[in-house]
Amino acid sequence: MGLGWLDDAAFVLGTELSLDEVLRDGVRTSVARCWVDGSTVASQGAHTVIAKCFHSKAMAHNSGGFGIVREWAGLATIPGAPQMLAADLDLGVIVMADLGEVTTLADVLGGSDPDAAVEAGRAWGRGLGATMRGADVATFRRLVRTADPQTLSAGGPASPRLPGRGASRLADLLDDGVLSEEATAEVGLFAELAGGDDAVLTQADPCPGNIVIPADAPDATFIDFEASSVHHPAVDVAHLQVPWVSCDDSGQVNGTFRDAAMAGYREVGPAVSDDMIALAATAATLQTTELSLEPLQRRDAPGRFGSGRQRLVSRWRWVADHPGRTPQLALMCGRAADLAVQEWGWPSELETVPCFAQMTRT
């Protein structure tokens, strides 16, 4: 994508900007660090800012999925988010404070210090729990409704139908034809993940590169708020138990890391049952199945810590081993994993992240 959108960002902020560094340039969004060349009043004295552009103007006011409405509302209502300095939903640009060079959980996991990774896991759990306790659900919903009066979810789960479609895709893959009555009933349980009275508001995309580990504070913070949503706490806690269950950057970690992440969460976060965590992990796995199975059958997809085929097989295995309230869907996931490994030759194990792989080799 070109960088003409930086002129829109400068217009929205009300001062001159020039490019310092492109941080991400994708089909859906672009993110850049910019110098403030004009007055720094609008940037509150800062000489650099982060500008983000959502390229599809047709989606500008669509709050049903990833988009500027959720990012704008999330930045305004979720504690610890970067300060939003200016935004224009019609132009599709947001300008926010520059956090500078930060250490993310991806950086720690890609290093060589397992003890630092365990402490970072605890900070992630604590930061997640603190976010749930402090985020302003009511204001987030009001902002979404204001920006998108036609919204059906008012900031609820972004793609609630995808897990059901993923289950149907598995039925086709396994030559079952259609979902059984039992499996269909289990898919209906995913409606509980909307949260009801238990609903919380989070950034909802806790990939390792989106989790900021502070040097001098016990709680992690987050970046990238375009998936912000209101949902049951289990939707996020599932990532702690099955690290990054719907993220392309997921890798295998050890039990010490998972225990530390869950312990950090329990210090401050709302209580969540094991059954609800398993339900959320199953829904996330089926959503990934719907989105990625077909392209992965054509070719593998590399990630920071492992390939797409490794990730999908490992998630199917986890669901199969944790049936909870969805035993029929768990059985289907187990059969899919066996098929992929035994007949397609897909890898059976997810790669261990570098900091813990060091322990395995020594």
Side-chain angles (χ1 to χ4, degrees), residues 21 41 58 75 108 134 174 192 217 247 249 292 324 345 359:
E21 179 184 8
V41 173
L75 288 170
V108 180
L174 300 168
E192 297 178 24
C247 177
D249 285 343
S292 66
M359 297 174 64

Side-chain angles (χ1 to χ4, degrees), residues 11-34:
F11 173 77
V12 170
L13 185 61
T15 191
E16 297 177 43
L17 297 176
S18 63
L19 176 67
D20 176 33
E21 179 184 8
V22 175
L23 301 176
R24 184 175 69 217
D25 191 18
V27 174
R28 189 176 67 247
T29 61
S30 294
V31 183
R33 175 175 286 115
C34 300

Side-chain angles (χ1 to χ4, degrees), residues 26 46 72 90 102-103 117 232 257 314:
W72 168 73
D90 293 319
V102 297
T103 298
H232 192 280
F257 177 91
S314 71

Side-chain angles (χ1 to χ4, degrees), residues 17-311:
L17 297 176
S18 63
L19 176 67
D20 176 33
E21 179 184 8
V22 175
L23 301 176
R24 184 175 69 217
D25 191 18
V27 174
R28 189 176 67 247
T29 61
S30 294
V31 183
R33 175 175 286 115
C34 300
W35 291 105
V36 180
D37 294 330
S39 168
T40 62
V41 173
S43 61
Q44 301 190 10
H47 291 281
T48 60
V49 295
I50 301 297
K52 184 170 185 176
C53 171
F54 291 77
H55 295 299
S56 174
K57 301 302 186 289
M59 296 287 289
H61 291 281
N62 182 349
S63 64
F66 286 60
I68 193 171
V69 168
R70 288 178 182 265
E71 177 120 15
W72 168 73
L75 288 170
T77 54
I78 297 176
Q83 182 181 4
M84 183 166 53
L85 300 173
D88 189 302
L89 303 186
D90 293 319
L91 290 176
V93 293
I94 291 179
V95 184
M96 63 195 87
D98 184 3
L99 301 181
E101 297 301 321
V102 297
T103 298
T104 68
L105 185 54
D107 298 327
V108 180
L109 295 173
S112 59
D113 188 342
D115 293 334
V118 170
E119 287 307 307
R122 184 181 298 274
W124 171 26
R126 281 188 54 88
L128 175 60
T131 292
M132 290 181 182
R133 294 293 189 188
D136 188 343
V137 173
T139 299
F140 178 81
R141 287 192 182 279
R142 177 177 57 79
L143 290 174
V144 170
R145 289 192 184 98
T146 299
D148 182 9
Q150 304 302 315
T151 181
L152 298 177
S153 69
S159 303
R161 296 183 180 87
L162 286 179
R165 293 173 184 168
S168 296
R169 187 172 293 275
L170 279 189
D172 289 338
L173 177 71
L174 300 168
D175 293 328
D176 292 344
V178 296
L179 287 175
S180 67
E181 290 185 9
E182 294 84 359
T184 300
E186 291 173 7
V187 168
L189 297 175
F190 296 148
E192 297 178 24
L193 298 175
D197 294 338
D198 297 323
V200 297
L201 166 63
T202 70
Q203 171 259 15
D205 187 20
C207 294
N210 290 340
I211 302 168
V212 177
I213 306 299
D216 54 357
D219 299 350
T221 57
F222 301 88
I223 55 176
D224 196 350
F225 286 75
E226 62 191 60
S228 299
S229 68
V230 177
H231 47 249
H232 192 280
V235 170
D236 292 280
V237 178
H239 287 275
L240 301 176
Q241 281 289 83
V242 195
W244 316 291
V245 68
S246 60
C247 177
D248 288 346
D249 285 343
S250 58
Q252 188 62 260
V253 296
N254 64 21
T256 303
F257 177 91
R258 289 193 298 272
D259 290 346
M262 285 299 298
Y265 173 80
R266 291 191 183 103
E267 290 177 19
V268 289
V272 182
S273 71
D274 289 343
D275 275 353
M276 286 302 296
I277 294 172
L279 185 69
T282 300
T285 296
L286 292 174
Q287 176 169 315
T288 301
T289 299
E290 168 63 10
L291 294 174
S292 66
L293 175 58
E294 186 174 338
L296 286 176
Q297 287 179 293
R298 294 194 297 270
R299 65 179 64 87
D300 206 351
R304 191 190 300 256
F305 302 126
S307 76
R309 291 174 177 176
Q310 288 175 315
R311 292 189 295 270

